[in-house]
Amino acid sequence: MTSGPRTPPLDLLGVGAGPFNLSLAALADGVPGLRGAFYEQRPAFHWHPGLLIEGATLQVPFLADLVSLIEPTSPWSYLNYVKIRRRLFPFYFAESFHIHRSEFDNYLRWVSTELPSTRFGHRVDTVAWDAGQGAFAVEFTRLGPDGEMSSSGLAHARNLALGVGTAPYVPEPLRALAQDAADLVCHSADYLGRRDRLLAARHITVVGSGQSGAEVLLDLLRSRPDGAEGLTWLARTPAFAPMEYSKIGLEQFTPDYTRYFHGLPQATRDRLLPRQWQLYKGVSGDTLGDIRDELYRRSLGGDWPDVTLTPGIEVTGAAVTDAGRVELSVEHGQQGARGRLTTDAVVLATGYRERPVDTLLAALDPYLVRDGAGRPEVDEAQRLVLAPEIAGSVFVQNAERHTHGVGAPDLGLAAWRSAVIVNALTGKETYPLPDRTAFTTFGLEGVSRDRRGAPRRSAGERLCLRPPARAARAHVSRRAVGPSGRRAVGLRPDWPVPRPGHRARRRLPTGP
């Protein structure tokens, strides 16, 4: 790897400019001395364009924008966007806590074009550590509006933030069919672009029990004639279950729970995640209610609508028949029964998976610390745990569910996570973070730490059960490679580096 021009390295280079790195870019904007750039290979920002179904709303309140839960006075807040668009009073009288998804997409696109640090049409190809510069060497390609290669370049940055997002996931039994019969099978991520063709099909099957599957089914149902709906909805889950949306239940999407989850043994985390499917794979109760209401309306004449909803079904195979239809092999787990379903089109609402970055980080692979399953370790400050010879940090966003829990892809934690990263970059509390964010106390100890690191009981002096000595030693060992075990990456040598266990005193805000 060539060393490149001897220009001062950036303090932060973001790989990807999706919602989470946009949040980081927004909170980093205006921080004195922080030089950053965010490279995105797409020519422009678009947020799930295939699922911007008319009338669909966010599942989180509008305060879960890029900045508000950390810095509500930021110029990059959703409310400021509405104000600039001169729509503040219409929004006020709409009394909408959950805004339309298309409006959130408009807001994100506005931020992406106004932020000075975003670089669209820039594809990051490789990353390596340049010891001579004391920074990461980032090779990238400039792309034209149609994705064609324009030129190549080299940038240096002391720290990186990976926010490459997720990719649509197609289950193995359906992959060949999705590639060879693209006219018959599509992922829900491409739904709107294929909607007209789907509506022309006599029978459509939706596979997947989450919110996307429910929204696609509802949209198709509302668009089909009474008595000729021709729809089937299949799901592996034992029921079409509502997402956990109680106010106490939602506290599992707080920083408090994230810290608790991160402190658990890895084996416990791996066992826990699949059991929490209803926190992120369920369906909005309102959407389920809308589906039921629409089905009931269509039954008022006495006939049942031509719609089949069957949970507990796994699709084990698929093929195209001689007649050009799709034949799905299915299995019902509880009955132990197998069967076949013939349909004319399939929409796969089968979710997303983290995009692999192995090729991108190939040069850093020898320095990555991995867990027993071969996954990169991620510390509490969102950093990949690296060997000591790498002085910079690689932060990750939405690639740490195995270490930080179900909240990793949640928009409501975006601003908090970005603030954690900014504070780690600056080596000080640039953004004061709350000590407590939930009424629930996660774990048996019930003890938090004050700013000096001394034990502090909450109100009522709750009973504290001491964990076994073995578990306590394991926890200390794990923390030794966490944020307190790596030096803070300051932007200037004169900035103070926090001591392990020390947090800077909270500053009171002096103004907007």
Side-chain angles (χ1 to χ4, degrees):
M1 173 89 50
T2 57
S3 59
R6 293 291 175 178
T7 55
L10 295 167
D11 297 306
L12 176 66
L13 190 148
V15 182
F20 296 129
N21 261 2
L22 271 184
S23 170
L24 178 57
L27 286 179
D29 183 54
V31 174
L34 179 53
R35 297 175 56 249
F38 291 79
Y39 288 9
E40 168 59 55
Q41 67 177 359
R42 295 174 299 175
F45 182 92
H46 289 286
W47 184 66
H48 294 299
L51 283 170
L52 298 179
I53 298 171
E54 184 177 357
T57 61
L58 288 183
Q59 293 177 270
V60 292
F62 71 88
L63 286 174
D65 62 11
L66 301 177
V67 295
S68 288
L69 288 174
I70 291 297
E71 184 50 77
T73 62
S74 167
W76 306 114
S77 71
Y78 171 77
L79 282 180
N80 191 53
Y81 161 75
V82 176
K83 173 193 171 186
I84 288 174
R85 297 290 296 272
R86 299 186 179 184
R87 296 184 54 249
L88 200 53
F89 272 93
F91 173 69
Y92 166 60
F93 287 114
E95 298 183 352
S96 298
F97 205 46
H98 295 82
I99 62 176
H100 285 88
R101 198 175 294 164
S102 59
E103 185 169 24
F104 192 69
D105 175 59
N106 292 337
Y107 156 68
L108 294 177
R109 285 193 285 117
W110 169 75
V111 174
S112 72
T113 57
E114 295 295 324
L115 273 172
S117 58
T118 52
R119 307 283 187 274
F120 286 89
H122 285 56
R123 184 188 68 210
V124 174
D125 300 313
T126 62
V127 169
W129 179 250
D130 187 336
Q133 290 236 29
F136 294 99
V138 180
E139 292 184 337
F140 64 92
T141 301
R142 297 181 183 89
L143 304 175
D146 296 323
E148 71 277 12
M149 178 178 171
S150 174
S151 62
S152 60
L154 177 68
H156 283 80
R158 296 187 182 94
N159 306 283
L160 304 175
L162 302 183
V164 297
T166 56
Y169 173 74
V170 177
E172 193 278 331
L174 290 160
R175 287 174 192 168
L177 188 66
Q179 294 173 356
D180 300 337
D183 290 342
L184 304 176
V185 182
C186 73
H187 194 275
S188 58
D190 303 314
Y191 170 68
L192 283 184
R194 306 285 294 278
R195 184 175 182 272
D196 291 342
R197 187 178 302 176
L198 287 168
L199 288 174
R202 184 174 60 182
H203 186 275
I204 308 168
T205 298
V206 178
V207 179
S209 63
Q211 183 68 24
S212 297
E215 290 180 357
V216 167
L217 180 86
L218 179 60
D219 184 63
L220 290 172
L221 179 59
R222 286 172 168 169
S223 304
R224 309 279 276 187
D226 288 12
E229 293 85 2
L231 295 173
T232 295
W233 187 17
L234 305 178
R236 284 192 308 170
T237 53
F240 295 107
M243 186 176 296
E244 169 59 67
Y245 210 73
S246 66
K247 294 178 181 179
I248 291 293
L250 288 178
E251 292 193 339
Q252 292 177 87
F253 294 95
T254 60
D256 282 9
Y257 184 78
T258 301
R259 287 188 289 263
Y260 161 76
F261 186 90
H262 188 273
L264 294 173
Q266 186 61 61
T268 303
R269 291 185 287 201
D270 288 344
R271 288 195 303 269
L272 185 57
L273 274 173
R275 301 174 187 173
Q276 297 177 315
W277 66 271
Q278 213 164 333
L279 290 171
Y280 61 99
K281 289 185 178 179
V283 183
S284 159
D286 289 341
T287 306
L288 288 175
D290 290 342
I291 292 172
R292 179 61 168 69
D293 291 345
E294 181 66 21
L295 292 172
Y296 179 74
R297 183 191 68 76
R298 289 168 180 257
S299 71
L300 294 178
D303 294 328
W304 290 81
D306 183 19
V307 180
T308 302
L309 314 180
T310 310
I313 290 284
E314 182 175 2
V315 178
T316 58
V320 178
T321 68
D322 293 339
R325 306 185 76 196
V326 177
E327 185 178 81
L328 300 177
S329 299
V330 297
E331 183 174 337
H332 195 283
Q334 294 176 355
Q335 288 182 320
R338 298 178 180 178
R340 287 184 173 88
L341 169 68
T342 303
T343 185
D344 297 295
V346 181
V347 180
L348 301 175
T350 47
Y352 299 79
R353 295 292 186 273
E354 297 167 0
R355 281 195 172 92
V357 292
D358 297 341
T359 301
L360 177 66
L361 299 180
L364 298 179
D365 186 71
Y367 307 100
L368 287 173
V369 176
R370 297 182 180 272
D371 64 15
R375 299 164 298 195
E377 290 276 10
V378 184
D379 71 17
E380 282 187 304
Q382 301 293 139
R383 295 175 291 212
L384 293 178
V385 179
L386 299 170
E389 49 264 49
I390 306 295
S393 291
V394 179
F395 299 92
V396 294
Q397 304 227 60
N398 196 15
E400 71 285 2
R401 198 159 60 107
H402 63 291
T403 57
H404 287 64
V406 294
D410 190 74
L411 290 171
L413 283 170
W416 173 79
R417 182 169 53 201
S418 295
V420 168
I421 294 174
V422 171
N423 289 352
L425 283 167
T426 60
K428 60 181 181 179
E429 201 175 34
T430 302
Y431 288 103
L433 300 176
D435 292 323
R436 185 175 179 182
T437 55
F439 290 104
T440 305
T441 298
F442 301 102
L444 292 177
E445 291 180 89
V447 173
S448 58
R449 299 274 168 179
D450 67 14
R451 300 189 187 282
R452 299 178 300 279
R456 181 187 64 197
R457 298 187 190 276
S458 58
E461 288 291 310
R462 291 176 298 211
L463 176 64
C464 181
L465 301 182
R466 186 180 300 278
R470 182 183 305 171
R473 286 197 298 270
H475 181 70
V476 172
S477 173
R478 219 168 26 250
R479 288 294 300 272
V481 298
S484 61
R486 297 193 59 195
R487 67 179 180 82
V489 185
L491 305 179
R492 300 177 180 174
D494 58 330
W495 279 359
V497 178
R499 299 186 303 276
H502 170 78
R503 292 182 67 192
R505 179 172 298 175
R506 187 187 302 275
R507 300 189 310 275
L508 294 177
T510 56

